[in-house]
Amino acid sequence: MKSFNLLAVSLIALVLALLLPLLALGTSALGVVVFVLLLGVSFLAAYRDERRRTWLSALIAVAAAVAYPFVFSSTQATTIVFFALLYVAIASSWNIIGGFTGYISLGHAAFFGLGAYTIALVADRLNLPGGYGLFAVALLGGVVAGIFAVPMGFIALRLRTIHSFVIVTIAYLFMYQLLGYNLQGITNGSSGLGVPQPNWSGAFFNTPFYFAALALAVLTVALAYWIRHSRFGLGLLAIRDDEDKAAGVGVDTWKHKFAAYVISAVPVGIAGALYAYFSSYIYPQTVFDPMIDLTIVLSAFLGGMGTLLGPILGAMILQPAQQLLTYYTGAAGWDLVLFGVLFLVVILLMPSGIVPTVVERMRRVRVLEAVRKADETEGVEPNTAAGGGAR
Amino acid sequence: MSEILQIEGVFAGYGGGDILRGMDLRLEQGTITCIVGPNGAGKSTVMRVVSGVLHPRRGEVRFMGQRIDQMTPKQILQSGIVQVPQNRSLFPAMTVEENVRLGGYTLQDRALVEQRLAEVGEQFPIVRERAKDKAGSLSGGQQKLVEFARGLMLDPKLVLLDEPSMGLEPRILDQVFGTMIEMCKAGRTILLVEQNARQGLESSDRGVVMESGRVLLDGPAKAVLSDERIGDLYLGGHVH
């Protein structure tokens, strides 16, 4: 029942993510037809069995994403989805501590920057050439982010109130930005660092990056899925709901929060490294950027915090929108205006985000339907008491 | 029948003096014992001592022959004593099933968790029927039943029920107490603390009246219920 909603929502996300750039870039209608067909097939096939539905929708989403760069190979089309996938990974990873556990970190860009500087520094110091090998170094960016997250989490999570946790994480971000500017010997300060580029030519240049981002996104979502359905994840949700009660049923709350924080840093670090490699040059203000945190949080809020699909959906909508706005308006900051407006709309109209709102609506419709059917078969007038009880 | 719990000469309090002053209580296996008494008599403190939240200053608590008065709440939980607290203790934003699963959180064996979940679902239909609904969307009485179900995930020998009727509408009380009696029939021992003395005693085998931190009267629930002094003092006048 639930997964049917999930399926629908995930497909909407997919279609939005893929069609937005297409429509904007004026690609042929062929693509649209292909994806609409895929959509129809998936709905038909998935309608029968619940568990299969979830897997099938995931499979279709991945298959479509794999096919995408072959169908739409223009640099703009792949760039936009590359960034969207990067943010799917970042937001899903952030969701482990922010959404599942309820500890909102506004400093995850610190891990993004750590990953970015890791790949730049390792490539520079070891004189590594651009090429496929640097993708392995990007993984190292995740490891470094995870290692740095250990003392950071140790300090930030000593605070019992979530508000103080938020403040400390913001402080982390600016701390790292300052270090980026001032540790000139390592980071080259505000002049930034370059990352050696591969000699892939033409439209193919984006393809390896695209697939690296896709792999990261898929693995991160799989990680989040696994955590959400594990005993560990059950403990995290309990902490979010009520930390004292969680401790009361035997959840080791500190260990859980700490593990969630460290785990959630790793994919963000890898994403930062991929970003650095892709964009070829990094500065403290572009990788330790508060905008990254705003994008993460807004993605999660928009889609639905604490749900698996929420951050995916949010990132899939926001990133292409942001990229397109920048593309059309130049760097005039219209994306910031969009973010502001979206934030207000989400908070006013659906404070729990798209996924929970849609799921709840559909559940209500279904319950009402069931009640009506039951009343019909019993030959009773529909009554409000039954409807109230089913709420 | 054997004694499952023995409380002997327990003195305990919260720093500002003792609440329990020489408390003695023995529970027979497979029975329901109801503690009644005025506010401040120490009813809930007995629960806290047995569940390990409060360590007694003097005296002993033994569970199945083993001293438990200095154990941590977690150790006591694992030894087979589960408490269903007074106020609402479910996680409102989590589903009914997740809540019940959390009852077995300390179990490492996943297969055992699944097996217990199935058993509990058998015993409490609401756990199956409303499995995917948020616990916070259930009525007070339904939540209490889910709390019972959660408590049974560890297959406890002794269940401590602290004021299960609190905040519930009267018509659901029969169901709550009925469920309690069924848990007892399944072989569990139940220690109940109840403000709603009449209904509590009516559903119990034994009644214990407490006053000022010790036992004033102890006997078959029916006898306690019909004791005139008790009726006047704690049950709000005429019982019959």
Side-chain angles (χ1 to χ4, degrees), chain B residues 38-71:
Chain B
N39 282 331
K43 306 186 296 287
S44 292
T45 309
V46 175
M47 296 294 208
R48 294 175 146 265
V49 166
V50 176
S51 62
V53 180
L54 183 67
H55 293 303
R57 194 169 60 76
R58 255 171 67 187
E60 284 182 13
V61 182
R62 275 191 301 274
F63 176 61
M64 303 203 307
Q66 199 188 356
R67 283 277 296 262
I68 60 165
D69 46 71
Q70 298 304 322
M71 283 186 180

Short mmCIF file of all heavy atoms in Angstrom, two decimals, chain B residues 38-71:
data_model
loop_
_atom_site.label_atom_id
_atom_site.label_comp_id
_atom_site.label_asym_id
_atom_site.label_seq_id
_atom_site.Cartn_x
_atom_site.Cartn_y
_atom_site.Cartn_z
N PRO B 38 -3.59 5.75 49.61
CA PRO B 38 -3.72 7.17 49.30
C PRO B 38 -2.47 7.71 48.60
O PRO B 38 -1.43 7.05 48.58
CB PRO B 38 -3.89 7.83 50.67
CG PRO B 38 -3.24 6.89 51.62
CD PRO B 38 -3.43 5.52 51.06
N ASN B 39 -2.59 8.91 48.07
CA ASN B 39 -1.43 9.55 47.44
C ASN B 39 -0.29 9.67 48.44
O ASN B 39 -0.52 9.99 49.59
CB ASN B 39 -1.81 10.96 46.95
CG ASN B 39 -2.60 10.88 45.67
OD1 ASN B 39 -2.43 9.96 44.88
ND2 ASN B 39 -3.48 11.85 45.46
N GLY B 40 0.91 9.38 47.97
CA GLY B 40 2.06 9.54 48.84
C GLY B 40 2.31 8.34 49.73
O GLY B 40 3.21 8.36 50.56
N ALA B 41 1.52 7.29 49.58
CA ALA B 41 1.71 6.11 50.41
C ALA B 41 2.95 5.32 49.99
O ALA B 41 3.47 4.52 50.75
CB ALA B 41 0.48 5.21 50.35
N GLY B 42 3.41 5.56 48.78
CA GLY B 42 4.61 4.88 48.31
C GLY B 42 4.34 3.79 47.28
O GLY B 42 5.22 2.98 46.98
N LYS B 43 3.15 3.80 46.69
CA LYS B 43 2.80 2.75 45.72
C LYS B 43 3.76 2.75 44.53
O LYS B 43 4.32 1.72 44.17
CB LYS B 43 1.36 2.95 45.20
CG LYS B 43 0.30 3.05 46.28
CD LYS B 43 -1.10 3.10 45.70
CE LYS B 43 -1.38 4.33 44.84
NZ LYS B 43 -1.53 5.58 45.58
N SER B 44 3.92 3.92 43.93
CA SER B 44 4.78 3.99 42.74
C SER B 44 6.24 3.77 43.11
O SER B 44 7.03 3.28 42.29
CB SER B 44 4.63 5.34 42.05
OG SER B 44 3.34 5.42 41.49
N THR B 45 6.59 4.13 44.34
CA THR B 45 7.98 3.93 44.78
C THR B 45 8.31 2.44 44.83
O THR B 45 9.43 2.03 44.51
CB THR B 45 8.19 4.60 46.15
OG1 THR B 45 7.71 5.94 46.07
CG2 THR B 45 9.66 4.61 46.52
N VAL B 46 7.33 1.62 45.20
CA VAL B 46 7.54 0.17 45.18
C VAL B 46 7.94 -0.27 43.77
O VAL B 46 8.89 -1.02 43.57
CB VAL B 46 6.27 -0.58 45.64
CG1 VAL B 46 6.46 -2.08 45.51
CG2 VAL B 46 5.92 -0.22 47.08
N MET B 47 7.20 0.24 42.79
CA MET B 47 7.48 -0.08 41.38
C MET B 47 8.90 0.33 41.01
O MET B 47 9.62 -0.41 40.35
CB MET B 47 6.51 0.66 40.46
CG MET B 47 5.08 0.27 40.63
SD MET B 47 4.86 -1.42 40.13
CE MET B 47 3.17 -1.42 39.62
N ARG B 48 9.27 1.53 41.45
CA ARG B 48 10.59 2.04 41.08
C ARG B 48 11.71 1.20 41.70
O ARG B 48 12.74 0.99 41.08
CB ARG B 48 10.73 3.50 41.53
CG ARG B 48 9.79 4.39 40.77
CD ARG B 48 9.83 5.81 41.29
NE ARG B 48 9.63 6.71 40.18
CZ ARG B 48 10.62 7.28 39.51
NH1 ARG B 48 11.87 7.10 39.87
NH2 ARG B 48 10.36 8.04 38.48
N VAL B 49 11.46 0.72 42.91
CA VAL B 49 12.46 -0.12 43.55
C VAL B 49 12.57 -1.46 42.82
O VAL B 49 13.67 -1.94 42.53
CB VAL B 49 12.11 -0.35 45.05
CG1 VAL B 49 12.95 -1.47 45.64
CG2 VAL B 49 12.33 0.94 45.83
N VAL B 50 11.44 -2.05 42.47
CA VAL B 50 11.48 -3.36 41.81
C VAL B 50 12.12 -3.24 40.42
O VAL B 50 12.91 -4.08 40.01
CB VAL B 50 10.06 -3.97 41.69
CG1 VAL B 50 10.11 -5.28 40.92
CG2 VAL B 50 9.48 -4.20 43.08
N SER B 51 11.82 -2.13 39.69
CA SER B 51 12.35 -2.02 38.33
C SER B 51 13.79 -1.48 38.32
O SER B 51 14.40 -1.39 37.26
CB SER B 51 11.45 -1.12 37.48
OG SER B 51 11.42 0.18 38.01
N GLY B 52 14.31 -1.14 39.49
CA GLY B 52 15.73 -0.77 39.57
C GLY B 52 16.02 0.69 39.34
O GLY B 52 17.18 1.10 39.34
N VAL B 53 15.00 1.49 39.15
CA VAL B 53 15.21 2.92 38.94
C VAL B 53 15.67 3.56 40.25
O VAL B 53 16.43 4.52 40.28
CB VAL B 53 13.91 3.61 38.45
CG1 VAL B 53 14.12 5.09 38.23
CG2 VAL B 53 13.43 2.95 37.18
N LEU B 54 15.21 2.98 41.36
CA LEU B 54 15.55 3.49 42.68
C LEU B 54 16.14 2.34 43.49
O LEU B 54 15.54 1.27 43.58
CB LEU B 54 14.27 4.03 43.35
CG LEU B 54 14.41 4.68 44.72
CD1 LEU B 54 15.21 5.98 44.61
CD2 LEU B 54 13.03 4.96 45.29
N HIS B 55 17.33 2.56 44.06
CA HIS B 55 17.93 1.51 44.88
C HIS B 55 17.53 1.72 46.34
O HIS B 55 17.63 2.82 46.85
CB HIS B 55 19.46 1.54 44.75
CG HIS B 55 19.94 1.16 43.39
ND1 HIS B 55 19.62 -0.04 42.82
CD2 HIS B 55 20.69 1.82 42.49
CE1 HIS B 55 20.16 -0.10 41.61
NE2 HIS B 55 20.80 1.02 41.38
N PRO B 56 17.11 0.65 47.01
CA PRO B 56 16.71 0.81 48.41
C PRO B 56 17.93 1.12 49.30
O PRO B 56 19.04 0.67 49.03
CB PRO B 56 16.10 -0.55 48.76
CG PRO B 56 16.60 -1.51 47.74
CD PRO B 56 16.93 -0.72 46.52
N ARG B 57 17.65 1.87 50.35
CA ARG B 57 18.71 2.22 51.30
C ARG B 57 18.95 1.04 52.24
O ARG B 57 20.07 0.79 52.69
CB ARG B 57 18.24 3.45 52.08
CG ARG B 57 19.29 4.16 52.87
CD ARG B 57 18.76 5.48 53.37
NE ARG B 57 17.58 5.34 54.23
CZ ARG B 57 17.62 4.93 55.50
NH1 ARG B 57 18.79 4.64 56.05
NH2 ARG B 57 16.53 4.82 56.22
N ARG B 58 17.89 0.34 52.54
CA ARG B 58 17.99 -0.84 53.41
C ARG B 58 17.02 -1.88 52.91
O ARG B 58 16.06 -1.55 52.22
CB ARG B 58 17.64 -0.45 54.85
CG ARG B 58 18.84 -0.36 55.76
CD ARG B 58 18.43 0.24 57.08
NE ARG B 58 17.53 -0.64 57.84
CZ ARG B 58 16.93 -0.25 58.97
NH1 ARG B 58 17.11 0.97 59.42
NH2 ARG B 58 16.16 -1.10 59.63
N GLY B 59 17.25 -3.11 53.26
CA GLY B 59 16.31 -4.17 52.88
C GLY B 59 16.73 -4.88 51.60
O GLY B 59 17.74 -4.53 50.98
N GLU B 60 15.95 -5.90 51.26
CA GLU B 60 16.31 -6.75 50.12
C GLU B 60 15.13 -6.92 49.18
O GLU B 60 13.98 -6.95 49.60
CB GLU B 60 16.70 -8.14 50.61
CG GLU B 60 18.08 -8.20 51.23
CD GLU B 60 18.43 -9.63 51.64
OE1 GLU B 60 17.72 -10.57 51.21
OE2 GLU B 60 19.42 -9.78 52.38
N VAL B 61 15.48 -7.04 47.88
CA VAL B 61 14.46 -7.43 46.91
C VAL B 61 15.02 -8.65 46.18
O VAL B 61 16.14 -8.62 45.69
CB VAL B 61 14.19 -6.30 45.89
CG1 VAL B 61 13.09 -6.72 44.91
CG2 VAL B 61 13.79 -5.01 46.59
N ARG B 62 14.24 -9.73 46.18
CA ARG B 62 14.69 -10.94 45.47
C ARG B 62 13.67 -11.32 44.41
O ARG B 62 12.47 -11.30 44.65
CB ARG B 62 14.88 -12.10 46.46
CG ARG B 62 16.25 -12.10 47.12
CD ARG B 62 16.48 -13.41 47.89
NE ARG B 62 15.47 -13.60 48.90
CZ ARG B 62 15.56 -13.10 50.13
NH1 ARG B 62 16.62 -12.38 50.48
NH2 ARG B 62 14.58 -13.31 51.00
N PHE B 63 14.21 -11.67 43.25
CA PHE B 63 13.36 -12.09 42.13
C PHE B 63 13.80 -13.48 41.72
O PHE B 63 14.97 -13.67 41.37
CB PHE B 63 13.50 -11.10 40.97
CG PHE B 63 12.73 -11.49 39.74
CD1 PHE B 63 11.35 -11.63 39.77
CD2 PHE B 63 13.40 -11.73 38.55
CE1 PHE B 63 10.65 -11.98 38.64
CE2 PHE B 63 12.70 -12.08 37.40
CZ PHE B 63 11.32 -12.21 37.45
N MET B 64 12.94 -14.44 41.82
CA MET B 64 13.25 -15.84 41.54
C MET B 64 14.52 -16.26 42.28
O MET B 64 15.43 -16.86 41.70
CB MET B 64 13.39 -16.08 40.03
CG MET B 64 12.12 -15.67 39.30
SD MET B 64 11.86 -16.45 37.70
CE MET B 64 13.35 -16.13 36.85
N GLY B 65 14.57 -15.88 43.54
CA GLY B 65 15.69 -16.29 44.39
C GLY B 65 16.95 -15.45 44.28
O GLY B 65 17.90 -15.64 45.04
N GLN B 66 16.96 -14.50 43.36
CA GLN B 66 18.19 -13.74 43.12
C GLN B 66 18.03 -12.30 43.62
O GLN B 66 16.98 -11.69 43.41
CB GLN B 66 18.45 -13.73 41.61
CG GLN B 66 19.86 -13.40 41.24
CD GLN B 66 20.00 -13.22 39.72
OE1 GLN B 66 19.04 -13.42 38.96
NE2 GLN B 66 21.18 -12.83 39.29
N ARG B 67 19.06 -11.78 44.30
CA ARG B 67 19.00 -10.40 44.76
C ARG B 67 19.00 -9.46 43.55
O ARG B 67 19.87 -9.56 42.69
CB ARG B 67 20.24 -10.05 45.60
CG ARG B 67 20.21 -10.59 47.03
CD ARG B 67 19.42 -9.68 47.97
NE ARG B 67 19.98 -8.36 48.16
CZ ARG B 67 20.74 -8.00 49.20
NH1 ARG B 67 21.07 -8.88 50.12
NH2 ARG B 67 21.16 -6.74 49.31
N ILE B 68 18.05 -8.54 43.50
CA ILE B 68 18.05 -7.61 42.37
C ILE B 68 18.10 -6.15 42.83
O ILE B 68 18.10 -5.25 42.02
CB ILE B 68 16.78 -7.79 41.48
CG1 ILE B 68 15.51 -7.56 42.29
CG2 ILE B 68 16.76 -9.14 40.81
CD1 ILE B 68 14.28 -7.36 41.41
N ASP B 69 18.19 -5.92 44.15
CA ASP B 69 18.03 -4.54 44.62
C ASP B 69 19.19 -3.62 44.26
O ASP B 69 19.06 -2.41 44.38
CB ASP B 69 17.72 -4.51 46.11
CG ASP B 69 18.62 -5.43 46.90
OD1 ASP B 69 19.79 -5.12 47.04
OD2 ASP B 69 18.12 -6.50 47.34
N GLN B 70 20.33 -4.19 43.85
CA GLN B 70 21.41 -3.30 43.44
C GLN B 70 21.68 -3.37 41.93
O GLN B 70 22.65 -2.83 41.43
CB GLN B 70 22.71 -3.62 44.21
CG GLN B 70 22.59 -3.42 45.73
CD GLN B 70 22.12 -2.01 46.11
OE1 GLN B 70 22.51 -1.02 45.50
NE2 GLN B 70 21.25 -1.92 47.12
N MET B 71 20.80 -4.06 41.21
CA MET B 71 21.00 -4.20 39.76
C MET B 71 20.58 -2.92 39.03
O MET B 71 19.78 -2.14 39.53
CB MET B 71 20.16 -5.35 39.22
CG MET B 71 20.72 -6.72 39.50
SD MET B 71 19.68 -7.92 38.63
CE MET B 71 20.47 -9.43 39.07
#
